Amino acid sequence: MKFLDQAKVYVRSGDGGGGAVSFLREKYVEFGGPNGGNGGRGGDVVIECVDGLNTLIDYRYQQHFKAKTGTHGMGKDRAGAHGENAVLRVPVGTQVFEDDNETLIADMTEVGQRFVMLSGGNGGFGNAHFKTSSNQAPRHANPGQPGVEKWIWLRLKLIADAGLVGLPNAGKSTFLAAVSAAKPKIADYPFTTLHPNLGVVSIGERDFVLADIPGLIEGASEGVGIGDRFLGHIERCGVLIHLIDGTQDDIAHAYKTIRSELSAYDAQLGEKSELVVLNKVDAMAPDDLTEKVKLLKKLSGQKVLQISGVTGQGVDQVLYGVVETLDEAKAAKAEALRRQTEPGWTP
């Protein structure tokens, strides 16, 4: 299945059905009176979050979605049926934007969540509705209200607990393949990963979802390489795993490049919790390793984890670090919510 994380679609709600003009014509009924029924309501456009999807590829082949028109009213006081809804089924993590691709309309984060994007037009009243004591034979009815149309953007942001970031060929896909059952493409050339990959990681008695995104290079925020649009997939992550290739010469530049690109994309993304991991230590000389670990520790201001994605050295330590960071974030959030419930709390 191909991966598509953004699509532009046209949606239109259904028109309301028109009311009917009708009179009762029955033997032995001298003054039958009006009996035109009301029109049915037009169908709505509904966004539904469903399980089992992880891409928006369906919207590459169909971009127009129109709800059905309500059925017109009929004689004998028969009201028209409501029009059928147009339902757009999207994966968890999909955001819906206006045509400007900036104004957020809805954020679909839970399976079963439904959002009525556009309401269908109301059905028109039949002539029976207008019957009064002074107008006992109305000969007019209302037409149904027209539906509403617009273009919208669907943008998928994968929901993962942790995200892998780093320069191309830092070993992100190798790490994901080593700790989960995911099978990302692995090769010895840059930009092997062209779309995000997800894997479920088990460590101890805990599970979490890990996301691997394409590598970033200097100037990605300005469109260099394949850009930074894929960073949207790690916006929801609780912690970032920053992988740095230990075999390259200038690891300081590599670290600073990723940090600057994260901040350029979104200031909040640049402030996320981060684990600094020096990869490919199995291919490094001991003296070189010690020197680069010391340099990274000085730059990041935190402990530097040393691993080898190929041999598995130090990998569990990183995974336990992810679990610990996620638990700390969860506890901090629970404490913040508890404080909000206390009397006298002010934001």
Side-chain angles (χ1 to χ4, degrees), residues 274-277 293 296-297 300-306 317:
E274 176 189 62
L275 296 179
V276 180
V277 181
V293 168
L296 275 179
K297 185 175 182 181
S300 63
Q302 65 183 75
K303 180 181 178 181
V304 178
L305 303 176
Q306 306 164 42
Q317 187 181 4

Side-chain angles (χ1 to χ4, degrees), residues 33-117:
N35 68 348
N38 300 333
R41 181 183 177 86
D44 300 332
V45 176
V46 180
I47 311 290
E48 182 179 12
C49 191
V50 299
D51 196 11
L53 291 178
N54 59 5
T55 174
L56 298 173
I57 191 65
D58 293 341
Y59 299 99
R60 171 171 289 176
Y61 307 111
Q62 182 182 355
Q63 292 90 28
H64 293 76
F65 296 86
K66 300 177 182 179
K68 300 294 184 181
T69 300
T71 305
H72 298 310
M74 294 167 281
K76 298 184 180 179
D77 291 314
R78 290 176 293 175
H82 295 329
E84 184 179 349
N85 295 337
V87 181
L88 282 68
R89 293 175 175 83
V90 298
V92 176
T94 301
Q95 292 181 322
V96 186
F97 289 86
E98 293 281 5
D99 191 21
D100 60 8
N101 208 3
E102 294 180 357
T103 306
L104 180 64
I105 302 173
D107 193 359
M108 315 299 288
T109 57
E110 297 179 1
V111 173
Q113 183 179 352
R114 289 173 65 92
F115 172 72
V116 179
M117 167 65 59

Side-chain angles (χ1 to χ4, degrees), residues 62-281:
Q62 182 182 355
Q63 292 90 28
H64 293 76
F65 296 86
K66 300 177 182 179
K68 300 294 184 181
T69 300
T71 305
H72 298 310
M74 294 167 281
K76 298 184 180 179
D77 291 314
R78 290 176 293 175
H82 295 329
E84 184 179 349
N85 295 337
V87 181
L88 282 68
R89 293 175 175 83
V90 298
V92 176
T94 301
Q95 292 181 322
V96 186
F97 289 86
E98 293 281 5
D99 191 21
D100 60 8
N101 208 3
E102 294 180 357
T103 306
L104 180 64
I105 302 173
D107 193 359
M108 315 299 288
T109 57
E110 297 179 1
V111 173
Q113 183 179 352
R114 289 173 65 92
F115 172 72
V116 179
M117 167 65 59
L118 299 176
S119 297
N122 291 325
F125 291 126
N127 67 333
H129 174 82
F130 299 101
K131 181 177 63 175
T132 64
S133 58
S134 59
N135 184 12
Q136 298 183 8
R139 297 182 179 275
H140 68 277
N142 283 348
Q145 291 182 341
V148 185
E149 61 183 6
K150 65 165 45 177
W151 284 91
I152 60 172
W153 282 94
L154 301 176
R155 189 187 304 169
L156 175 61
K157 292 184 178 179
L158 298 176
I159 296 182
D161 300 304
L164 287 165
V165 295
L167 293 175
N169 279 37
K172 300 184 296 299
S173 296
T174 301
F175 182 87
L176 180 66
V179 300
S180 72
K183 293 180 173 56
K185 184 178 180 181
I186 301 172
D188 59 352
Y189 54 84
F191 299 113
T192 310
T193 301
L194 295 177
H195 59 78
N197 294 300
L198 288 179
V200 178
V201 180
S202 297
I203 183 71
E205 297 181 353
R206 296 288 299 277
D207 294 335
F208 64 87
V209 179
L210 180 62
D212 168 31
I213 64 168
L216 295 170
I217 62 175
E218 189 171 6
S221 57
E222 301 171 357
V224 178
I226 58 175
D228 64 354
R229 184 167 60 86
F230 286 108
L231 285 176
H233 295 289
I234 59 172
E235 282 186 25
R236 306 178 193 266
C237 294
V239 59
L240 301 179
I241 302 174
H242 187 165
L243 282 184
I244 301 164
D245 181 359
T247 60
Q248 61 188 328
D249 296 329
D250 193 353
I251 61 170
H253 179 69
Y255 176 79
K256 292 177 181 177
T257 296
I258 298 300
R259 294 304 307 170
S260 63
E261 292 301 330
L262 291 177
S263 299
Y265 178 83
D266 187 349
Q268 291 184 349
L269 188 59
E271 295 172 0
K272 278 190 181 293
S273 301
E274 176 189 62
L275 296 179
V276 180
V277 181
L278 188 63
N279 193 17
K280 305 182 183 179
V281 297

